[in-house]
């Protein structure tokens, strides 16, 4: 799991008049609305005696610890310690880490890391979401017992569709012809053409038999986002846009939005949700049993072919971030820290105020590599 990235922590609608405890990258955080009404994200661990702030309550725009009533404002600073006399100053170290928040597409995006704002990656574009005149959207969630990078790669892998999704592809026409990758610093995508199975149901009247379908899977590192565009006919288009939050190293929470340019009446929403969920169910049978559970950083550990080029691009980018020293050291967390001491993901405040001491130490990271290993091209 990698820091210095944006991850979706929750739906905006879930943050109301109570603190909201969420778990990302194996760490707990608390979401709440501060005195201005803005959503704030803080480390969940009270620096006094380790209680969960998410189990507390809101008081005057602050989150109040349920153990001793310490109140933390939207900056993460303690503004009230009930046991202290009024004439005693609150210690300068009385603060917890605060993380940047963005609200977009109905979700709360949290930046987990200490990069300054100008160095943070952008959020992915999803213009169809706000184009309500031409698109109808439905949304949902799906939990996987799998590594989040495996889940993202599964969405980028179109070669599996004929074998895992009978309604999506034809196992007797499974060739993926060469396609060009479009890439930028934080994302990549590639358009492929495939032969769908014989149409059934309503599709018999809409699409001619064996009419080729175009699809464009792609990823964005922010939110571990996977986007799939499908051109079902000359005028009918579908987009599946999902963000994949690593709850921990073995659990991924996918929040998805499906947008369609056709059959935009609400009566068809249930069918869209059912079809999208069915695709995830079919994938989970495979993805939750993949070995090894985590995505290898060395491409030589799994044999790749040309049709895997989009997945390889994701692996190259992910490895680049790991070699910057941004990957959590899970083994060290398990062996030395878990249950024995509290640590946190570093926040921008630690870098901006380098001279100011924090109570909790930061989580261990794998060391950066100054000379990355050469990339291995697909066979």
């Amino acid at each position: 799991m990698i820091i210095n990235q944006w991850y979706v922590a929750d739906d905006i609608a879930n943050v109301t008049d109570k603190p909201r405890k969420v778990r990302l990258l194996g760490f707990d955080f608390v979401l709440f609305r501060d005195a201005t009404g803005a959503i704030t994200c803080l480390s969940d661990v009270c620096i006094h005696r380790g209680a969960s702030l998410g189990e507390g309550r809101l008081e005057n725009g602050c989150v109040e610890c349920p153990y001793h009533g310490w109140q933390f404002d939207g900056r993460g600073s303690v503004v009230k310690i009930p046991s202290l006399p009024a004439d005693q100053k609150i210690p300068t170290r009385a603060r917890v880490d605060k993380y940047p928040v963005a609200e977009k597409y109905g979700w709360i995006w949290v930046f987990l890391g200490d990069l300054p704002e100008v160095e943070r990656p952008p959020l992915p574009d999803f213009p169809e979401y706000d184009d309500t005149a031409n698109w109808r959207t439905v949304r949902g969630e799906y939990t996987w017992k799998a590594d989040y990078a495996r889940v993202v790669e599964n969405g980028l892998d179109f070669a599996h569709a004929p074998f895992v999704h009978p309604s999506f592809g034809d196992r007797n026409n499974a060739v993926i012809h060469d396609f060009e990758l479009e890439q930028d610093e934080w994302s990549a995508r590639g358009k492929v053409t495939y032969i769908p199975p014989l149409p059934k149901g309503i599709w018999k009247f809409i699409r001619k038999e064996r009419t080729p379908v175009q699809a464009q899977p792609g990823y964005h590192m922010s939110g571990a986002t996977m986007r799939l565009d499908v051109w079902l006919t000359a005028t009918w288009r579908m987009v599946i846009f999902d963000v994949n939050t690593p709850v921990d190293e073995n659990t991924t929470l996918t929040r998805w939005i499906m947008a369609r340019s056709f059959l935009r009446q609400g009566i068809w929403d249930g069918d869209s949700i059912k079809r999208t969920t069915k695709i995830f169910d079919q994938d989970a049978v495979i993805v939750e049993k993949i070995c090894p559970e985590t995505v290898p950083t060395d491409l030589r550990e799994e044999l790749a072919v040309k049709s895997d080029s989009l997945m390889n691009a994701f692996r190259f980018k992910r490895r680049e971030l790991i070699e910057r020293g941004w990957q959590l050291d899970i083994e060290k967390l398990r062996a030395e820290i878990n249950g024995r001491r509290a640590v946190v993901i570093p926040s921008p405040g630690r870098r901006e105020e380098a001279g100011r001491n924090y109570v909790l130490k930061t989580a261990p990271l794998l060391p950066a590599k100054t000379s990355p290993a050469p990339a291995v091209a697909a066979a």
Side-chain angles (χ1 to χ4, degrees), residues 263-332:
L263 302 178
R264 296 197 300 270
Q265 301 83 2
I267 191 174
W268 299 103
D269 288 353
D271 183 69
S272 294
I273 293 171
K274 180 180 178 180
R275 289 177 180 273
T276 304
T277 303
K278 183 178 180 180
I279 290 172
F280 289 140
D281 284 340
Q282 291 168 337
D283 283 328
V285 173
I286 305 296
V287 174
E288 293 184 351
K289 297 180 177 66
I290 284 180
C291 179
E293 296 176 357
T294 56
V295 170
T297 54
D298 186 343
L299 266 65
R300 291 169 294 188
E301 294 184 15
E302 293 181 345
L303 186 60
V305 295
K306 286 186 177 180
S307 59
D308 299 322
S309 59
L310 183 56
M311 288 184 289
N312 288 348
F314 173 69
R315 288 194 180 191
F316 288 145
K317 186 61 184 182
R318 186 169 174 272
R319 187 173 69 182
E320 175 194 324
L321 303 184
I322 290 172
E323 290 176 347
R324 292 186 194 181
W326 292 356
Q327 183 172 16
L328 291 168
D329 189 337
I330 299 300
E331 295 303 320
K332 192 169 185 179

Side-chain angles (χ1 to χ4, degrees), residues 95-109:
R95 67 180 315 189
V96 294
D97 286 79
K98 168 189 168 62
Y99 302 91
V101 168
E103 300 179 32
K104 204 167 188 179
Y105 314 134
W107 293 322
I108 301 166
W109 302 69

Side-chain angles (χ1 to χ4, degrees), residues 107-121:
W107 293 322
I108 301 166
W109 302 69
V110 176
F111 186 78
L112 298 182
D114 61 354
L115 290 182
E117 185 174 3
V118 294
E119 296 181 24
R120 297 169 201 160

Side-chain angles (χ1 to χ4, degrees), residues 117-308:
E117 185 174 3
V118 294
E119 296 181 24
R120 297 169 201 160
L123 297 183
D125 290 327
F126 185 19
E128 297 83 3
Y129 181 79
D130 294 313
D131 185 6
T132 55
N134 296 300
W135 293 85
R136 175 82 177 186
T137 61
V138 293
R139 62 198 304 143
E141 295 183 356
Y142 195 89
T143 300
W144 314 69
K145 297 306 295 181
D147 169 48
Y148 83 105
R150 285 291 194 189
V151 173
V152 173
E153 279 201 350
N154 173 76
L156 303 176
D157 175 17
F158 223 82
H160 82 274
F163 303 95
V164 180
H165 310 297
S167 63
F168 220 88
D170 184 349
R171 61 185 298 120
N172 296 314
N173 290 278
V175 174
I176 302 296
H177 297 284
D178 289 349
F179 58 92
E180 296 294 325
L181 282 186
E182 299 177 25
Q183 292 182 267
D184 56 38
E185 183 179 5
W186 295 104
S187 65
R189 64 213 61 84
K191 185 179 288 188
V192 299
T193 300
Y194 70 98
I195 303 298
L198 293 173
K200 298 179 181 179
I202 189 176
W203 294 104
K204 289 183 179 180
F205 307 100
I206 297 168
R207 191 181 67 226
K208 295 180 181 179
E209 292 187 7
R210 301 303 185 187
T211 301
V213 171
Q214 285 190 319
Q216 180 173 269
Y219 72 84
H220 196 292
M221 297 304 293
S222 292
T225 300
M226 203 295 295
R227 174 184 170 123
L228 175 63
D229 291 69
V230 182
W231 288 263
L232 297 164
T233 71
T235 58
W236 287 25
R237 185 174 159 212
M238 176 181 72
V239 177
I240 297 178
F241 184 94
D242 62 63
V243 291
N244 299 280
T245 301
V247 177
D248 54 42
E249 66 267 35
N250 299 312
T251 309
T252 300
L253 177 55
T254 296
R255 295 177 174 88
W256 59 267
I257 299 173
M258 188 272 225
R260 63 183 191 272
S261 66
F262 55 93
L263 302 178
R264 296 197 300 270
Q265 301 83 2
I267 191 174
W268 299 103
D269 288 353
D271 183 69
S272 294
I273 293 171
K274 180 180 178 180
R275 289 177 180 273
T276 304
T277 303
K278 183 178 180 180
I279 290 172
F280 289 140
D281 284 340
Q282 291 168 337
D283 283 328
V285 173
I286 305 296
V287 174
E288 293 184 351
K289 297 180 177 66
I290 284 180
C291 179
E293 296 176 357
T294 56
V295 170
T297 54
D298 186 343
L299 266 65
R300 291 169 294 188
E301 294 184 15
E302 293 181 345
L303 186 60
V305 295
K306 286 186 177 180
S307 59
D308 299 322

